[in-house]
Amino acid sequence: MRQFTADEIQAQFEKLPAEVQVAITSTEVNNKIEALAKKHNLLIDQTGELVDEIGLVMLGLVKSDDFVDHIVTRCSINRKNAQEIAEDVNTEVFSAIRQHMREM
């Protein structure tokens, strides 16, 4: 799993259209991620890893196909839990971003 520098992440973020930048940094998205972390009983450090991984996927730096594997590794959880989290992230977070962008 590749580690990205802060500069690489910032550069990729700046390439995104303004509407996408607003959507992925919205309070609504952050609240949804926190709720998912609580629902799945993630610890604070695991939540941070999940947030980082979601961000990398949203920026296009990590393929969505690798998301579950990365959650398993980064959050130190089993595959079944990682798949459940990934499903919730897709439903709650990624769909919220798409909806937010439609509204804009």
Side-chain angles (χ1 to χ4, degrees), residues 45-69:
D45 60 329
Q46 292 172 311
T47 301
E49 294 293 337
L50 178 62
V51 167
D52 290 349
E53 195 62 31
I54 290 170
L56 293 174
V57 170
M58 289 191 292
L59 292 173
L61 294 171
V62 170
K63 295 178 186 176
S64 59
D65 292 345
D66 297 331
F67 188 58
V68 171
D69 291 334

Side-chain angles (χ1 to χ4, degrees), residues 13-82:
F13 180 78
E14 290 172 2
K15 290 179 185 176
L16 297 174
E19 301 83 24
V20 177
Q21 290 178 3
V22 169
I24 66 176
T25 58
S26 73
T27 304
E28 177 186 355
V29 168
N30 186 54
N31 291 342
K32 288 182 182 285
I33 294 170
E34 287 179 13
L36 289 174
K38 186 177 280 190
K39 174 183 175 183
H40 292 281
N41 300 311
L42 296 181
L43 302 173
I44 292 170
D45 60 329
Q46 292 172 311
T47 301
E49 294 293 337
L50 178 62
V51 167
D52 290 349
E53 195 62 31
I54 290 170
L56 293 174
V57 170
M58 289 191 292
L59 292 173
L61 294 171
V62 170
K63 295 178 186 176
S64 59
D65 292 345
D66 297 331
F67 188 58
V68 171
D69 291 334
H70 288 199
I71 294 173
V72 168
T73 302
R74 291 184 72 160
C75 296
S76 300
I77 60 174
N78 66 47
R79 178 166 285 288
K80 181 179 182 276
N81 289 346

